[in-house]
Amino acid sequence: MTTPGLPQSIRACLFDLDGVITRTAVVHAAAWREMFDDFLGHREGDAFRPFSDDDYDRYVDGRPRADGVRTFLASRGIELPEGSPDDGPGEETVNGLGNRKNELLLARIHKDGVDAYPGSLRYLGTVRDAGLKTAVVSSSANCRDILAAVRIENMFDARIDGVVARERGLPGKPAPDTFLAAARDLGEAPAACAVFEDAQAGMDAGRAGRFGYVVGVDRVGQAEALRAHGADTVVEDLAELEGRS
Ligand SMILES: [Mg+2]
């Protein structure tokens, strides 16, 4: 049997979704860029500085939608009213801009579909064959639909996503609470859980929650930043872990 390449003490694996299991981090980044560049262009005219990959990695990736809007705008010295979660996508509020981004995201997903990383799907199978428990821990409110689209709903023993987090009042990444809730749902201590994340905010959550092992998944050449934010190891594909002892 192939071994999952984790410390012997690990009993459960907590996987981020976008960018770890599915190729959706790039789709999210494109939807954020379209929304913010449109907003900044209207507000600041031709002089505006476009939303960059670095902005995405530092201020947005991995965070709940409204937190991503607020954190990025703060980095540009812009503060908007919060508004409410059902604000229309045309409202110039934190929630309105977040909903606009979600509309753009869903349009892209609808048009292009969703891909899972083959190495991640195989690794999920290896981990489960080895008797480890699995959870998906995502800030996304679309997590369930995306799991269904790639037909892997039944590969996880627990799911903590944007919808569950809101129901339970859990703060999102970089706070560790969503990962801690998944560990609790699986009946394992944080020290017996490995966290798999591609975002700097996810690394911070892994470190803050004192999880047993934190795997940084580097899809965009940010290995150094992932290590600086607390990764115990960095891989470009989960398949690299298989057979490691
Ligand atoms: Mg991610």
Side-chain angles (χ1 to χ4, degrees):
M1 188 169 68
T2 320
T3 57
L6 300 170
Q8 289 290 332
S9 51
I10 297 301
R11 305 295 318 139
C13 295
L14 315 179
F15 295 97
D16 173 46
L17 179 69
D18 295 302
V20 171
I21 305 289
T22 53
R23 222 179 275 275
T24 34
V26 285
V27 193
H28 278 277
W32 281 112
R33 183 175 306 112
E34 188 177 346
M35 182 278 286
F36 277 134
D37 284 352
D38 185 55
F39 169 77
L40 293 170
H42 275 97
R43 187 183 168 101
E44 295 171 359
D46 290 344
F48 88 95
R49 185 155 48 90
F51 180 76
S52 69
D53 289 345
D54 188 52
D55 289 327
Y56 177 71
D57 294 340
R58 291 174 65 161
Y59 305 120
V60 175
D61 190 17
R63 299 174 197 263
R65 207 181 297 154
D67 295 351
V69 174
R70 206 181 302 107
T71 309
F72 168 68
L73 291 182
S75 80
R76 298 289 177 98
I78 300 170
E79 199 179 321
L80 290 183
E82 282 296 301
S84 79
D86 48 2
D87 275 0
E91 303 264 356
E92 287 212 345
T93 60
V94 167
N95 281 283
L97 291 190
N99 289 341
R100 175 76 188 133
K101 178 263 169 176
N102 194 48
E103 205 175 70
L104 295 168
L105 174 81
L106 295 178
R108 282 170 186 268
I109 288 176
H110 189 73
K111 180 166 153 278
D112 301 330
V114 178
D115 277 344
Y117 290 100
S120 298
L121 295 184
R122 206 170 63 221
Y123 186 72
L124 260 173
T126 299
V127 158
R128 292 178 65 85
D129 287 348
L132 302 184
K133 299 175 197 166
T134 55
V136 60
V137 182
S138 170
S139 298
S140 177
N142 304 304
C143 178
R144 208 170 173 173
D145 291 341
I146 290 178
L147 293 179
V150 287
R151 297 169 204 267
I152 51 170
E153 309 99 298
N154 48 18
M155 295 292 275
F156 301 98
D157 304 302
R159 171 176 50 86
I160 304 288
D161 61 14
V163 176
V164 175
R166 193 195 283 186
E167 280 167 8
R168 297 197 197 174
L170 302 171
K173 306 164 189 176
D177 301 57
T178 50
F179 283 111
L180 291 170
R184 209 174 306 121
D185 282 6
L186 294 177
E188 296 292 349
C193 296
V195 166
F196 296 78
E197 258 289 351
D198 69 319
Q200 295 172 21
M203 296 290 100
D204 293 337
R207 180 153 63 183
R210 298 174 176 273
F211 290 94
Y213 200 60
V214 178
V215 179
V217 184
D218 178 28
R219 306 289 191 192
V220 292
Q222 59 167 344
E224 278 313 304
L226 294 177
R227 275 192 201 96
H229 283 257
D232 292 308
T233 188
V234 176
V235 296
E236 290 181 7
D237 192 288
L238 294 190
E240 290 168 39
L241 288 166
E242 296 193 60
R244 257 196 214 175
S245 56

